[in-house]
Amino acid sequence: MNLEFGTRAIIALSWAREFSVPDSALQPDRAPVSLFVPSIGTDRVEVLHLGDHQVVRAPEQFLPLLREAADQHFVDDRGLLGLLHASGLAPSIRSLGVDALTYLDSPFDIVDSENITVSTDVEDLAELREGTPRDDAASTELGGWDQCFVLFSDTRSEPVAGAGYWAPGGLLADTTVLTHPHLRGHGLGRYAAALAVDDALSEGLIPQARIKEGQDAANALATSLGFELVGSLMSLKLHGGA
């Protein structure tokens, strides 16, 4: 793994706090653990894999069943869905998918372009999202934006690509990228992502790209930028849950 040990330690600390387990529980130099914690205020079942560690978070009534379940039920969402359906505890539950958790801790050179103008106005990013397919726009939706970078070319009046990040916990910068569907394959998304990554690192944050299973283009972009796979987050939602 190319990520520095200190980077992996901060990633582990951030996720430990997110899942309300002891700060040291998921550290990379700790023996593997499998923890089960109650969810509060949400009807989701989540399975976090971070390195060799596993944390399962679910409504209290599901925890006895999950603690006794074989490891194979936590490998993918089909196994967990099958277990919960068969138990009768969750007759109506659906998968929200599996996110690959990837990270970067090294900046890289950004070659400025005379043909590109960069905006940091979140309204320009909103305009870009409005002009893209619904699935693409949904995949770039964050809870908020701490910083964004939107690209305009000298031949177009509308935005052509954008990237931004959100850092609610003050440690990790959830990073997302969007490119106009007719302008993909020209390096615009990579350029926007580079700006966002460089800014996040300069703020002392660790860029995190959460990539849904099956998003091959996003995965290819993250890999080309040097993002490294550290873990995964599987999420299931009870019918009518938050």
Side-chain angles (χ1 to χ4, degrees):
M1 179 175 277
N2 295 322
L3 291 173
E4 295 182 0
F5 178 84
T7 299
R8 291 186 284 138
I10 293 172
I11 294 168
L13 172 62
S14 180
W15 280 106
R17 291 177 175 176
E18 168 66 24
F19 273 72
S20 301
V21 299
D23 283 354
S24 61
L26 307 180
Q27 288 299 309
D29 57 351
R30 291 284 302 269
V33 297
S34 183
L35 304 174
F36 296 83
V37 297
S39 60
I40 300 174
T42 177
D43 287 330
R44 294 196 183 192
V45 177
E46 298 166 296
V47 180
L48 170 70
H49 288 108
L50 201 67
D52 294 324
H53 303 306
Q54 174 181 282
V55 186
V56 179
R57 179 165 61 183
E60 188 76 50
Q61 66 268 28
F62 294 161
L63 292 181
L65 169 71
L66 296 172
R67 289 191 182 101
E68 297 299 321
D71 291 344
Q72 67 191 39
H73 289 108
F74 303 108
V75 173
D76 57 45
D77 51 357
R78 294 184 299 275
L80 191 52
L81 279 171
L83 173 68
L84 292 171
H85 278 308
S87 71
L89 292 174
S92 183
I93 189 169
R94 64 185 177 90
S95 173
L96 298 178
V98 180
D99 293 348
L101 303 177
T102 70
Y103 302 88
L104 181 69
D105 62 2
S106 299
F108 44 90
D109 293 334
I110 302 173
V111 179
D112 290 332
S113 171
E114 297 180 355
N115 300 318
I116 292 293
T117 300
V118 180
S119 165
T120 58
D121 190 338
V122 69
E123 291 185 3
D124 289 331
L125 188 58
E127 181 183 347
L128 175 63
R129 294 181 72 245
E130 288 176 1
T132 58
R134 182 177 301 177
D135 288 348
D136 290 349
S139 71
T140 63
E141 186 173 4
L142 296 177
W145 297 96
D146 287 317
Q147 185 59 280
C148 69
F149 300 88
V150 185
L151 309 186
F152 291 81
S153 77
D154 56 7
T155 60
R156 300 177 68 93
S157 60
E158 69 269 19
V160 296
Y165 65 83
W166 186 46
L171 296 173
L172 306 180
D174 258 318
T175 307
T176 187
V177 183
L178 188 61
T179 304
H180 192 285
H182 299 307
L183 296 170
R184 291 171 183 168
H186 299 288
L188 295 169
R190 178 182 173 85
Y191 183 65
L195 293 172
V197 163
D198 184 68
D199 190 82
L201 289 169
S202 71
E203 293 295 324
L205 302 166
I206 299 171
Q208 170 181 263
R210 296 171 55 153
I211 304 169
K212 281 285 184 207
E213 192 174 49
Q215 290 184 337
D216 296 337
N219 183 62
L221 175 59
T223 300
S224 74
L225 289 169
F227 280 85
E228 200 167 315
L229 180 67
V230 172
S232 66
L233 178 65
M234 176 168 51
S235 301
L236 282 66
K237 181 180 178 182
L238 297 170
H239 179 71

Coordinates of all heavy atoms in Angstrom, one line a residue, residues 62-127:
F62 N -31.9 -6.1 15.2 CA -31.2 -6.9 14.2 C -29.8 -7.5 14.8 O -29.3 -8.4 14.2 CB -30.9 -6.2 12.9 CG -32.1 -5.8 12.2 CD1 -32.0 -4.8 11.2 CD2 -33.3 -6.4 12.4 CE1 -33.1 -4.4 10.5 CE2 -34.4 -6.0 11.7 CZ -34.4 -5.0 10.7
L63 N -29.3 -6.8 15.8 CA -27.9 -7.1 16.2 C -27.7 -8.6 16.7 O -26.7 -9.2 16.3 CB -27.4 -6.2 17.3 CG -27.3 -4.7 16.8 CD1 -26.8 -3.8 17.9 CD2 -26.3 -4.6 15.6
P64 N -28.6 -9.2 17.5 CA -28.4 -10.6 17.8 C -28.3 -11.5 16.6 O -27.4 -12.4 16.6 CB -29.7 -10.9 18.7 CG -30.1 -9.6 19.2 CD -29.8 -8.6 18.1
L65 N -29.1 -11.3 15.6 CA -29.1 -12.1 14.4 C -27.7 -11.9 13.7 O -27.1 -12.9 13.3 CB -30.2 -11.8 13.5 CG -30.1 -12.3 12.0 CD1 -30.4 -13.8 12.1 CD2 -31.2 -11.6 11.1
L66 N -27.3 -10.7 13.6 CA -26.1 -10.4 12.8 C -24.9 -10.9 13.5 O -23.9 -11.3 12.9 CB -26.0 -8.9 12.6 CG -27.2 -8.3 11.7 CD1 -27.1 -6.8 11.6 CD2 -27.1 -8.9 10.3
R67 N -24.9 -10.8 14.8 CA -23.7 -11.3 15.6 C -23.5 -12.8 15.4 O -22.3 -13.2 15.4 CB -23.9 -11.0 17.1 CG -23.7 -9.5 17.5 CD -23.6 -9.3 19.0 NE -23.5 -7.9 19.3 CZ -24.5 -7.2 19.8 NH1 -25.7 -7.8 20.0 NH2 -24.4 -5.9 20.1
E68 N -24.6 -13.5 15.2 CA -24.5 -15.0 15.0 C -24.3 -15.4 13.6 O -24.0 -16.6 13.3 CB -25.7 -15.6 15.6 CG -25.9 -15.5 17.1 CD -24.8 -16.0 17.9 OE1 -24.3 -17.1 17.5 OE2 -24.4 -15.4 18.9
A69 N -24.4 -14.4 12.6 CA -24.3 -14.8 11.2 C -22.9 -15.1 10.8 O -21.9 -14.6 11.3 CB -24.8 -13.6 10.4
A70 N -22.8 -16.0 9.8 CA -21.5 -16.4 9.3 C -20.9 -15.3 8.5 O -21.6 -14.4 7.9 CB -21.7 -17.6 8.3
D71 N -19.6 -15.3 8.4 CA -18.8 -14.2 7.7 C -19.3 -14.0 6.3 O -19.3 -12.9 5.7 CB -17.3 -14.4 7.7 CG -16.8 -14.3 9.1 OD1 -17.4 -13.7 10.0 OD2 -15.6 -14.8 9.3
Q72 N -19.7 -15.1 5.6 CA -20.1 -15.0 4.2 C -21.3 -14.1 4.0 O -21.4 -13.5 2.9 CB -20.4 -16.4 3.7 CG -21.7 -17.0 4.3 CD -21.9 -18.5 4.0 OE1 -20.9 -19.2 4.0 NE2 -23.1 -18.9 3.7
H73 N -22.1 -13.8 5.0 CA -23.2 -12.9 4.8 C -22.9 -11.4 4.7 O -23.7 -10.6 4.3 CB -24.2 -13.1 6.0 CG -25.0 -14.4 5.9 ND1 -24.7 -15.4 6.8 CD2 -25.9 -14.9 5.1 CE1 -25.5 -16.5 6.5 NE2 -26.2 -16.2 5.5
F74 N -21.6 -11.1 5.0 CA -21.2 -9.8 5.0 C -20.2 -9.5 3.8 O -19.7 -8.4 3.8 CB -20.5 -9.4 6.3 CG -21.3 -9.6 7.5 CD1 -21.1 -10.7 8.4 CD2 -22.4 -8.8 7.8 CE1 -21.9 -10.9 9.5 CE2 -23.2 -9.0 8.9 CZ -23.0 -10.1 9.8
V75 N -20.1 -10.4 2.9 CA -19.2 -10.2 1.8 C -19.8 -9.3 0.7 O -19.1 -8.5 0.1 CB -18.8 -11.6 1.2 CG1 -18.0 -11.4 -0.1 CG2 -18.0 -12.4 2.2
D76 N -21.1 -9.5 0.5 CA -21.8 -8.7 -0.5 C -23.2 -8.5 -0.1 O -23.7 -9.1 0.9 CB -21.7 -9.3 -1.9 CG -22.3 -10.7 -2.0 OD1 -23.4 -10.9 -1.4 OD2 -21.7 -11.6 -2.6
D77 N -23.9 -7.6 -0.8 CA -25.3 -7.2 -0.3 C -26.3 -8.3 -0.6 O -27.3 -8.4 0.1 CB -25.7 -5.9 -1.0 CG -25.6 -5.9 -2.5 OD1 -25.0 -6.9 -3.1 OD2 -25.9 -4.9 -3.1
R78 N -26.0 -9.2 -1.5 CA -27.0 -10.3 -1.8 C -27.0 -11.2 -0.5 O -28.1 -11.6 -0.1 CB -26.6 -11.1 -3.0 CG -26.7 -10.3 -4.3 CD -26.4 -11.1 -5.5 NE -25.0 -11.7 -5.5 CZ -24.0 -11.0 -5.9 NH1 -24.1 -9.8 -6.4 NH2 -22.8 -11.6 -5.8
G79 N -25.9 -11.5 0.0 CA -25.9 -12.4 1.2 C -26.6 -11.8 2.4 O -27.3 -12.5 3.1
L80 N -26.4 -10.5 2.6 CA -27.0 -9.9 3.7 C -28.5 -9.7 3.5 O -29.3 -9.9 4.4 CB -26.3 -8.5 4.0 CG -26.7 -7.8 5.3 CD1 -26.5 -8.7 6.5 CD2 -25.8 -6.5 5.4
L81 N -28.9 -9.3 2.3 CA -30.3 -9.2 2.0 C -31.0 -10.6 2.2 O -32.1 -10.6 2.8 CB -30.5 -8.8 0.5 CG -30.4 -7.3 0.2 CD1 -30.4 -7.1 -1.3 CD2 -31.5 -6.5 0.9
G82 N -30.4 -11.7 1.8 CA -31.0 -13.0 1.9 C -31.1 -13.3 3.4 O -32.2 -13.9 3.8
L83 N -30.1 -13.0 4.2 CA -30.2 -13.3 5.6 C -31.3 -12.6 6.3 O -32.1 -13.1 7.1 CB -28.9 -12.9 6.3 CG -28.8 -13.0 7.8 CD1 -28.9 -14.5 8.3 CD2 -27.6 -12.4 8.4
L84 N -31.5 -11.3 6.0 CA -32.5 -10.5 6.7 C -33.9 -10.8 6.2 O -34.8 -10.8 7.0 CB -32.2 -9.0 6.4 CG -30.9 -8.5 7.1 CD1 -30.6 -7.0 6.6 CD2 -31.1 -8.5 8.6
H85 N -34.0 -11.1 4.9 CA -35.3 -11.6 4.4 C -35.8 -12.9 5.1 O -36.9 -13.0 5.5 CB -35.3 -11.7 2.9 CG -35.5 -10.5 2.1 ND1 -36.5 -9.6 2.3 CD2 -34.7 -9.9 1.1 CE1 -36.4 -8.6 1.5 NE2 -35.3 -8.8 0.7
A86 N -34.8 -13.8 5.1 CA -35.1 -15.1 5.7 C -35.5 -15.1 7.1 O -36.3 -15.9 7.7 CB -34.0 -16.1 5.4
S87 N -34.9 -14.1 7.9 CA -35.1 -14.0 9.3 C -36.6 -13.6 9.6 O -37.0 -13.8 10.8 CB -34.1 -13.0 9.9 OG -34.5 -11.7 9.5
G88 N -37.2 -12.9 8.7 CA -38.5 -12.3 9.0 C -38.5 -11.0 9.7 O -39.5 -10.3 9.8
L89 N -37.3 -10.5 10.1 CA -37.2 -9.2 10.7 C -37.3 -8.1 9.8 O -37.6 -7.0 10.2 CB -35.8 -9.2 11.5 CG -35.6 -10.1 12.7 CD1 -34.2 -10.0 13.2 CD2 -36.6 -9.7 13.8
A90 N -36.9 -8.3 8.5 CA -36.9 -7.2 7.6 C -37.5 -7.7 6.2 O -36.8 -7.9 5.3 CB -35.5 -6.7 7.3
P91 N -38.8 -7.9 6.2 CA -39.5 -8.4 5.0 C -39.4 -7.4 3.8 O -39.5 -7.8 2.7 CB -40.9 -8.6 5.4 CG -41.1 -7.6 6.6 CD -39.8 -7.6 7.3
S92 N -39.1 -6.1 4.1 CA -39.1 -5.1 3.1 C -37.8 -4.3 3.2 O -37.7 -3.4 4.1 CB -40.3 -4.2 3.1 OG -40.2 -3.3 2.0
I93 N -36.8 -4.7 2.5 CA -35.5 -4.0 2.6 C -34.8 -4.1 1.3 O -35.0 -5.0 0.5 CB -34.6 -4.7 3.7 CG1 -33.3 -3.9 4.0 CG2 -34.3 -6.1 3.3 CD1 -32.5 -4.4 5.2
R94 N -34.1 -3.0 0.9 CA -33.4 -3.0 -0.4 C -32.0 -2.5 -0.2 O -31.6 -1.8 0.7 CB -34.1 -2.1 -1.4 CG -34.1 -0.6 -1.0 CD -35.0 0.2 -1.9 NE -35.1 1.6 -1.6 CZ -34.2 2.5 -2.0 NH1 -33.2 2.2 -2.8 NH2 -34.4 3.8 -1.7
S95 N -31.1 -2.9 -1.2 CA -29.7 -2.5 -1.1 C -29.5 -1.1 -1.7 O -30.1 -0.8 -2.8 CB -28.9 -3.5 -1.9 OG -27.5 -3.1 -2.0
L96 N -28.7 -0.3 -1.1 CA -28.3 0.9 -1.7 C -26.9 0.8 -2.3 O -26.4 1.8 -2.8 CB -28.2 2.0 -0.5 CG -29.5 2.3 0.2 CD1 -29.3 3.3 1.3 CD2 -30.6 2.8 -0.8
G97 N -26.4 -0.4 -2.4 CA -25.2 -0.7 -3.1 C -24.0 -0.7 -2.2 O -24.1 -0.5 -1.0
V98 N -22.8 -0.9 -2.8 CA -21.6 -1.0 -2.1 C -20.6 0.1 -2.7 O -20.4 0.2 -3.9 CB -20.9 -2.4 -2.3 CG1 -19.6 -2.4 -1.6 CG2 -21.8 -3.5 -1.9
D99 N -20.1 0.9 -1.8 CA -19.1 1.9 -2.1 C -17.7 1.4 -1.9 O -17.4 1.0 -0.8 CB -19.3 3.2 -1.3 CG -20.6 3.9 -1.6 OD1 -21.3 3.6 -2.6 OD2 -21.0 4.8 -0.8
A100 N -16.9 1.5 -2.9 CA -15.4 1.3 -2.7 C -14.9 2.6 -2.0 O -15.2 3.7 -2.5 CB -14.7 1.1 -4.0
L101 N -14.1 2.5 -1.0 CA -13.5 3.6 -0.3 C -12.1 3.8 -0.7 O -11.2 2.9 -0.4 CB -13.7 3.4 1.2 CG -15.1 3.1 1.8 CD1 -15.1 2.8 3.3 CD2 -16.0 4.3 1.4
T102 N -11.8 4.8 -1.4 CA -10.4 5.0 -2.0 C -9.9 6.4 -1.5 O -10.7 7.3 -1.3 CB -10.4 5.0 -3.5 OG1 -11.1 6.1 -4.1 CG2 -11.2 3.7 -4.0
Y103 N -8.6 6.5 -1.4 CA -7.9 7.6 -0.8 C -6.6 8.0 -1.5 O -6.0 7.2 -2.2 CB -7.6 7.4 0.7 CG -8.9 7.0 1.4 CD1 -9.3 5.7 1.5 CD2 -9.6 8.0 2.1 CE1 -10.5 5.3 2.2 CE2 -10.8 7.7 2.7 CZ -11.2 6.3 2.8 OH -12.4 6.0 3.5
L104 N -6.2 9.2 -1.3 CA -5.0 9.8 -1.9 C -4.4 10.7 -0.9 O -5.1 11.5 -0.2 CB -5.4 10.6 -3.2 CG -4.3 11.2 -4.0 CD1 -3.5 10.1 -4.7 CD2 -4.9 12.1 -5.1
D105 N -3.0 10.6 -0.8 CA -2.4 11.6 0.2 C -1.2 12.3 -0.5 O -0.4 13.0 0.3 CB -1.9 10.8 1.4 CG -0.9 9.7 1.2 OD1 -0.5 9.5 0.0 OD2 -0.5 9.1 2.2
S106 N -1.0 12.2 -1.8 CA 0.1 12.9 -2.4 C -0.5 13.8 -3.5 O -1.2 13.4 -4.4 CB 1.0 11.9 -3.1 OG 1.6 11.0 -2.1
P107 N 0.0 15.1 -3.5 CA -0.5 16.0 -4.6 C 0.3 15.7 -5.9 O 1.2 14.9 -5.9 CB 0.0 17.4 -4.1 CG 1.2 17.0 -3.2 CD 0.9 15.7 -2.6
F108 N -0.2 16.2 -7.0 CA 0.4 16.0 -8.3 C 0.4 17.2 -9.1 O -0.4 18.2 -8.8 CB -0.2 14.8 -9.1 CG -1.7 14.8 -9.1 CD1 -2.4 15.4 -10.0 CD2 -2.4 14.1 -8.1 CE1 -3.8 15.4 -10.0 CE2 -3.7 14.1 -8.1 CZ -4.5 14.7 -9.0
D109 N 1.2 17.3 -10.1 CA 1.3 18.6 -10.8 C 0.1 18.9 -11.6 O -0.6 17.9 -12.2 CB 2.5 18.5 -11.8 CG 3.8 18.5 -11.0 OD1 3.9 19.0 -9.9 OD2 4.8 17.9 -11.6
I110 N -0.3 20.1 -11.7 CA -1.5 20.5 -12.5 C -1.0 21.5 -13.5 O -0.3 22.5 -13.2 CB -2.5 21.3 -11.6 CG1 -3.0 20.4 -10.5 CG2 -3.7 21.7 -12.5 CD1 -3.9 21.1 -9.5
V111 N -1.2 21.1 -14.8 CA -0.7 22.0 -15.9 C -1.8 22.9 -16.3 O -2.9 22.5 -16.7 CB -0.3 21.1 -17.1 CG1 0.2 22.0 -18.2 CG2 0.8 20.1 -16.7
D112 N -1.6 24.2 -16.1 CA -2.6 25.2 -16.4 C -2.9 25.2 -17.9 O -2.0 25.0 -18.7 CB -2.2 26.6 -15.9 CG -2.2 26.7 -14.4 OD1 -2.9 26.0 -13.8 OD2 -1.4 27.5 -13.9
S113 N -4.2 25.5 -18.2 CA -4.6 25.6 -19.6 C -5.1 27.0 -19.9 O -5.9 27.6 -19.1 CB -5.7 24.6 -19.9 OG -6.2 24.8 -21.2
E114 N -4.6 27.6 -21.0 CA -5.1 28.9 -21.4 C -6.5 28.9 -21.9 O -7.1 30.0 -22.0 CB -4.1 29.5 -22.4 CG -2.7 29.7 -21.9 CD -1.8 30.3 -23.0 OE1 -2.3 30.5 -24.1 OE2 -0.6 30.7 -22.7
N115 N -7.0 27.7 -22.2 CA -8.3 27.6 -22.8 C -9.4 27.3 -21.8 O -10.6 27.1 -22.2 CB -8.3 26.5 -23.9 CG -7.3 26.8 -25.0 OD1 -7.2 27.9 -25.5 ND2 -6.6 25.8 -25.4
I116 N -9.0 27.2 -20.5 CA -10.0 26.9 -19.5 C -10.1 28.0 -18.4 O -9.0 28.5 -18.0 CB -9.6 25.5 -18.8 CG1 -9.7 24.4 -19.8 CG2 -10.4 25.3 -17.6 CD1 -11.1 24.0 -20.2
T117 N -11.3 28.3 -18.1 CA -11.5 29.3 -17.0 C -12.1 28.5 -15.8 O -13.0 27.6 -16.0 CB -12.5 30.4 -17.4 OG1 -12.0 31.1 -18.5 CG2 -12.8 31.3 -16.2
V118 N -11.6 28.8 -14.6 CA -12.1 28.0 -13.4 C -12.9 28.9 -12.5 O -12.5 30.0 -12.2 CB -10.9 27.5 -12.6 CG1 -11.4 26.7 -11.4 CG2 -10.0 26.6 -13.5
S119 N -14.1 28.4 -12.2 CA -15.0 29.1 -11.3 C -15.1 28.3 -10.0 O -15.1 27.0 -10.0 CB -16.4 29.2 -11.9 OG -17.4 29.6 -10.9
T120 N -15.3 29.0 -8.8 CA -15.5 28.3 -7.6 C -16.9 28.6 -7.0 O -17.2 28.4 -5.9 CB -14.4 28.7 -6.5 OG1 -14.5 30.2 -6.4 CG2 -13.0 28.3 -7.0
D121 N -17.8 29.0 -7.9 CA -19.1 29.3 -7.6 C -20.0 28.0 -7.6 O -20.1 27.3 -8.6 CB -19.7 30.3 -8.6 CG -21.1 30.8 -8.1 OD1 -21.8 30.2 -7.3 OD2 -21.4 31.9 -8.6
V122 N -20.6 27.6 -6.5 CA -21.4 26.4 -6.4 C -22.6 26.4 -7.3 O -23.0 25.4 -7.7 CB -21.8 26.1 -4.9 CG1 -22.8 27.1 -4.4 CG2 -22.3 24.7 -4.7
E123 N -23.0 27.6 -7.6 CA -24.2 27.7 -8.6 C -23.8 27.2 -10.0 O -24.6 26.7 -10.7 CB -24.7 29.1 -8.6 CG -25.4 29.6 -7.3 CD -26.0 31.0 -7.4 OE1 -25.9 31.6 -8.5 OE2 -26.5 31.4 -6.4
D124 N -22.5 27.4 -10.3 CA -22.0 26.9 -11.6 C -22.0 25.4 -11.6 O -22.3 24.7 -12.6 CB -20.6 27.5 -11.9 CG -20.7 28.9 -12.3 OD1 -21.7 29.4 -12.8 OD2 -19.7 29.6 -12.0
L125 N -21.6 24.8 -10.5 CA -21.7 23.4 -10.4 C -23.1 22.8 -10.4 O -23.4 21.8 -11.1 CB -21.0 22.9 -9.0 CG -20.8 21.4 -8.9 CD1 -19.9 20.9 -10.0 CD2 -20.2 21.1 -7.5
A126 N -24.0 23.6 -9.8 CA -25.4 23.2 -9.9 C -25.9 23.2 -11.4 O -26.7 22.3 -11.8 CB -26.3 24.1 -9.1
E127 N -25.5 24.2 -12.1 CA -25.8 24.3 -13.5 C -25.3 23.1 -14.3 O -26.0 22.5 -15.2 CB -25.3 25.6 -14.2 CG -25.6 25.7 -15.6 CD -25.0 27.0 -16.3 OE1 -24.5 27.8 -15.5 OE2 -25.0 27.1 -17.5

